[in-house]
């Protein structure tokens, strides 16, 4: 039997990058996957890739910054498949790459809205469904930037630190409900988010990637599938005694 057979998994930001790889992996492990995203084209392609791979999936439009939208999408998923067992809080944005004293309040707020409020809304509205199913697993995408500092992306660092701590608090609140909550901390993973950072860097995409590669002791940046594998573990009953933990998948970045 596959590890996620019978489980219904919801992934936010499931259209691209780590989210898309996670949707595919969860489906390969036997889950019914609710691909959600505000990018309808990317989300539809992610769903279609699962179906072409003999998996079961559907797409729901979901902007994690809309509390009503979150609540309605989760109701729709539960109506369709009867339960929700796993939530992957993956949707996230990098925000501006300027020193903190040059970040505008609206720029700061935008990152917090997606990366922090989005995790709050999705967690708040999935918990009743998980309680109704007798438990569940919530996996929050933090980052190495939620553990260590770097002189870039100040709002992003703050948001990922918040997600790391929200994870531990939520793990304690929901342990008695059989709901596990864990965070994942990727190093740099080559996705559209990082490709955009590379394009905006001014040093050229190839030079940017080489610099990033060298920052990881293993010698290169990661792939979305490296993170999807860790998320699938935390989603599954193999991790039934794991809650409030931090799964670092970073090619050794934070060991230095
Ligand atoms: N790529 C990395 O190096 C890296 C490292 C550490 C952590 N992370 C985290 O992993 C997660 C995924 O990152 P990625 O690199 O795959 O990003 P990405 O930009 O490649 O993909 C993000 C997806 O989220 C969606 N999204 C953005 N805002 C949304 C919103 N408001 N509501 C719903 N969906 C929204 C986008 O449409 C997109 O499909 C993020 O939380 C990111 O912070 C990424």
């Amino acid at each position: 039997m596959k590890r996620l057979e019978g489980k219904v998994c919801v992934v936010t930001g499931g259209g691209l990058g780590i989210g898309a790889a996670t949707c595919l992996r969860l489906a390969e492990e036997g889950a019914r996957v609710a691909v959600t995203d505000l990018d309808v084209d990317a989300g539809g392609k992610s769903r279609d890739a699962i179906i072409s791979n003999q998996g079961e999936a559907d797409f729901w439009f979901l902007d994690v910054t809309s509390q009503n939208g979150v609540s309605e999408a989760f109701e729709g998923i539960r109506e369709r498949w009867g339960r929700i067992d796993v939530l992957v809080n993956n949707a996230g944005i990098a925000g501006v790459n300027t020193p903190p004293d040059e970040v505008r309040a609206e720029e700061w707020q935008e990152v917090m809205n997606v990366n922090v409020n989005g995790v709050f809304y999705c967690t708040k509205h999935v918990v009743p469904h998980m309680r109704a199913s007798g438990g569940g697993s919530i996996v929050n995408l933090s980052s190495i930037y939620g553990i260590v500092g770097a002189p870039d992306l100040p709002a992003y660092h703050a948001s990922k630190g918040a997600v790391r701590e929200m994870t531990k608090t939520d793990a304690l609140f929901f342990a008695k409900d059989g709901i596990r909550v864990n965070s994942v901390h990727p190093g740099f993973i080559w996705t559209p988010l990082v490709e955009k950072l590379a394009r905006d860097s001014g040093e050229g995409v190839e030079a940017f990637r080489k610099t990033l590669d060298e920052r990881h002791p293993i010698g290169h940046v990661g792939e979305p599938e490296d993170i999807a594998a860790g998320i699938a573990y935390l989603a599954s009953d193999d991790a039934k005694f794991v809650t409030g933990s931090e799964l670092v998948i970073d090619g050794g970045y934070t060991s230095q």
Side-chain angles (χ1 to χ4, degrees):
M1 178 160 154
K2 293 178 176 175
R3 275 200 301 190
L4 296 173
E5 201 84 60
K7 293 197 192 287
V8 173
C9 301
V10 181
V11 180
T12 68
L16 295 173
I18 293 170
T22 298
C23 287
L24 202 54
R25 177 66 190 254
L26 297 176
E28 282 170 358
E29 302 256 9
R32 281 170 286 177
V33 178
V35 180
T36 73
D37 207 296
L38 49 62
D39 183 334
V40 175
D41 285 347
K45 282 186 186 141
S46 180
R47 173 203 53 207
D48 294 347
I50 292 171
I51 292 169
S52 311
N53 201 32
Q54 272 73 56
E56 195 172 348
D58 208 343
F59 171 73
W60 277 263
F61 173 84
L62 175 55
D63 177 348
V64 297
T65 66
S66 161
Q67 186 172 187
N68 286 341
V70 167
S71 160
E72 282 167 20
F74 289 179
E75 288 293 339
I77 294 163
R78 175 133 171 242
E79 266 172 37
R80 170 79 185 273
W81 284 327
R83 55 194 294 126
I84 299 179
D85 303 286
V86 173
L87 166 67
V88 183
N89 276 315
N90 166 78
I93 58 172
V96 290
N97 188 10
T98 48
D101 56 310
E102 294 173 23
V103 178
R104 288 186 289 115
E106 311 85 83
E107 293 170 334
W108 182 273
Q109 208 51 57
E110 188 190 4
V111 174
M112 294 301 156
N113 274 342
V114 180
N115 294 7
V116 181
N117 297 2
V119 172
F120 164 60
Y121 297 146
C122 290
T123 300
K124 175 179 168 63
H125 288 283
V126 87
V127 161
H129 297 297
M130 289 185 171
R131 282 198 183 115
S133 316
S137 171
I138 299 174
V139 183
N140 292 332
L141 268 291
S142 178
S143 169
I144 51 172
Y145 276 16
I147 300 176
V148 296
D152 58 14
L153 304 174
Y156 184 82
H157 272 92
S159 72
K160 293 301 179 180
V163 169
R164 179 188 187 212
E165 193 52 37
M166 286 160 74
T167 301
K168 295 184 193 306
T169 306
D170 291 353
L172 296 175
F173 269 109
F174 301 130
K176 64 181 182 319
D177 298 306
I179 300 170
R180 299 181 293 100
V181 191
N182 295 286
S183 55
V184 175
H185 300 261
F188 280 89
I189 309 299
W190 200 252
T191 66
L193 181 148
V194 172
E195 282 180 58
K196 181 174 184 311
L197 293 178
R199 282 196 305 277
D200 294 347
S201 69
E203 60 176 304
V205 171
E206 282 316 306
F208 184 87
R209 182 165 184 159
K210 188 164 177 294
T211 308
L212 281 189
D213 285 344
E214 287 164 0
R215 283 202 223 152
H216 296 74
I218 221 160
H220 56 81
V221 297
E223 299 170 353
E225 292 73 20
D226 296 325
I227 308 307
I231 294 171
Y233 160 69
L234 290 171
S236 79
D237 293 342
D238 281 353
K240 64 184 169 41
F241 195 53
V242 183
T243 198
S245 80
E246 300 170 17
L247 179 55
V248 176
I249 308 175
D250 71 348
Y253 188 109
T254 52
S255 297
Q256 301 172 92

